[in-house]
């Protein structure tokens, strides 16, 4: 059985470092911003934004800021019975791995929820935290189980994704995205779905809904104001999109707040 020991969010710690030691726990690392340098069993590893690292128990590990610059990352320390298979291949193989997740926004959101939940004092906290963590592990395992994609496909998909991350509040259509990589609109839609599991326009709405949820909980903006800020000039359309992706109206989300399950976004 998997047991979570701690969940940490290292946010721009100026002199972050860990001493070289053989760890007696497992670590899942998700880098959110910047770069971090590890030494894993004597080998130097540089991890950056979007990278996931699984560092198994008994690994000799040290870590520090890359070139002295701070970074942001989530680290989840956990244990599990080494004699029983978990069904998660990278856990059962008990070997260090590093890969870049294409579902970084979803992974960061689940880590954030786990970080907040584990520090709360609400009932059934341990069960909820384990469920969130198992969902995260399953998503990462599913991603690793995908057939290998060609470097050119990954490059084109990343170009589109980066554009959406920077311009998601602006009007965007498939024709516009196709011009970024000089391919047809149908190719863009199929490519993005193959790499990230959903079409690019849906991803744009997902980004907008994540931001809408954040603005609802952390600002005094009105629902109409949030809709317009995110590019929905028809407030009734914003309500329909929000309910479709989040499963409830914006006003109901305000009442439930961080307790709402946003996994359906992805």
């Amino acid at each position: 059985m998997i047991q979570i020991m701690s969940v940490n969010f290292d946010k721009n710690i100026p002199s972050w470092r860990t001493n070289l030691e053989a760890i007696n726990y497992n670590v899942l690392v998700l880098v959110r911003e910047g770069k971090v340098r590890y030494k894993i069993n004597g080998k130097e590893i540089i991890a950056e934004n979007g990278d996931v690292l699984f560092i198994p128990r008994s690994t000799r590990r040290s870590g520090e800021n890359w070139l002295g610059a701070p970074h942001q990352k989530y680290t989840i320390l956990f244990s599990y019975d080494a004699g029983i298979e978990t069904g998660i291949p990278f856990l059962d193989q008990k070997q260090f791995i590093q890969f870049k997740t294409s579902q970084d926004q979803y992974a960061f959101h689940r880590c954030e929820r786990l970080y907040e939940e584990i520090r709360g004092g609400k009932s059934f906290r341990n069960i909820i935290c384990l469920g969130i963590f198992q969902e995260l592990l399953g998503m990462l395992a599913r991603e690793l189980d995908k057939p290998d994609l060609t470097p050119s496909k990954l490059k084109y998909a990343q170009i589109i994704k980066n554009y959406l991350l920077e311009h998601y509040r602006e009007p965007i259509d498939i024709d516009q995205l196709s011009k970024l990589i000089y391919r047809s609109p149908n190719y863009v839609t199929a490519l993005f779905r193959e790499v990230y599991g959903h079409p690019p326009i849906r991803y744009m709405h997902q980004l907008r809904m994540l931001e809408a949820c954040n603005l609802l909980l952390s600002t005094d903006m009105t629902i109409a104001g949030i809709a317009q800020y995110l590019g929905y000039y028809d407030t009734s359309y914003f309500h329909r999109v929000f309910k479709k992706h989040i499963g409830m109206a914006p006003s109901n989300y305000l009442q439930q707040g961080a307790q709402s399950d946003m996994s359906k976004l992805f």
Side-chain angles (χ1 to χ4, degrees):
M1 180 177 178
I2 295 173
Q3 293 185 322
I4 301 172
M5 300 167 61
S6 68
V7 181
N8 305 299
F9 180 40
D10 300 326
K11 186 176 182 180
N12 299 323
I13 301 174
S15 300
W16 180 86
R17 65 179 298 116
T18 58
N19 294 326
L20 179 64
E21 61 177 348
I23 57 176
N24 60 359
Y25 45 80
N26 304 279
V27 187
L28 188 71
V29 179
L30 288 91
V31 183
R32 184 165 190 167
E33 184 178 297
K35 294 184 179 181
V36 57
R37 173 166 49 196
Y38 284 101
K39 275 198 173 181
I40 304 294
N41 292 329
K43 181 179 179 181
E44 183 176 85
I45 301 293
I46 306 298
E48 59 184 7
N49 180 31
D51 279 354
V52 177
L53 288 77
F54 169 61
I55 308 174
R57 186 176 181 272
S58 301
T59 299
R60 288 186 59 80
R61 174 224 62 184
S62 66
E64 62 183 352
N65 285 331
W66 168 246
L67 298 179
H71 63 276
Q72 295 184 17
K73 71 178 184 302
Y74 289 98
T75 55
I76 304 169
L77 280 57
F78 64 102
S79 63
Y80 61 95
D81 190 337
I84 300 177
E85 289 195 356
T86 65
I88 303 295
F90 66 85
L91 295 187
D92 295 334
Q93 291 166 7
K94 303 178 180 64
Q95 295 180 348
F96 169 80
I97 62 168
Q98 177 183 13
F99 67 97
K100 189 173 292 291
T101 175
S102 62
Q103 303 287 345
D104 51 353
Q105 298 301 312
Y106 173 68
F108 295 150
H109 175 262
R110 302 317 285 161
C111 286
E112 182 179 12
R113 173 75 189 279
L114 181 60
Y115 178 75
E116 293 173 351
E117 189 69 42
I118 206 166
R119 279 160 174 72
K122 297 181 180 179
S123 56
F124 306 108
R125 179 187 65 177
N126 291 339
I127 295 175
I128 291 172
C129 287
L130 181 59
I132 295 170
F133 186 47
Q134 288 178 324
E135 179 190 350
L136 178 61
L137 290 172
M139 181 273 289
L140 295 173
R142 176 183 291 174
E143 192 167 12
L144 284 170
D145 196 44
K146 286 182 179 179
D148 291 337
L149 295 165
T150 63
S152 61
K153 284 187 175 182
L154 291 172
K155 177 183 176 182
Y156 288 149
Q158 190 64 49
I159 289 172
I160 297 167
K161 182 179 180 182
N162 288 343
Y163 184 87
L164 292 171
L165 285 168
E166 293 178 9
H167 302 277
Y168 66 91
R169 290 172 47 210
E170 303 170 10
I172 295 174
D173 58 37
I174 294 297
D175 288 337
Q176 184 179 355
L177 297 176
S178 67
K179 293 176 182 177
L180 296 173
I181 60 173
Y182 304 101
R183 295 293 187 275
S184 71
N186 288 339
Y187 179 87
V188 167
T189 300
L191 169 68
F192 203 88
R193 188 191 295 274
E194 180 182 2
V195 176
Y196 297 117
H198 42 252
I201 298 304
R202 179 181 173 183
Y203 182 66
M204 177 196 72
H205 286 299
Q206 289 171 349
L207 293 173
R208 288 180 175 184
M209 292 304 102
L210 281 172
E211 183 68 4
C213 290
N214 177 57
L215 293 172
L216 283 167
L217 295 180
S218 60
T219 74
D220 58 359
M221 293 175 67
T222 64
I223 292 175
I226 291 173
Q228 187 169 19
Y229 175 77
L230 293 175
Y232 299 106
Y233 300 107
D234 181 346
T235 305
S236 62
Y237 178 63
F238 170 74
H239 276 260
R240 292 197 299 273
V241 174
F242 192 96
K243 189 171 184 178
K244 176 182 177 181
H245 285 272
I246 306 301
M248 66 186 76
S251 56
N252 293 335
Y253 180 82
L254 264 174
Q255 295 175 355
Q256 295 195 24
Q259 298 305 310
S260 303
D261 180 12
M262 299 204 322
S263 62
K264 58 176 65 69
L265 263 177
F266 296 88

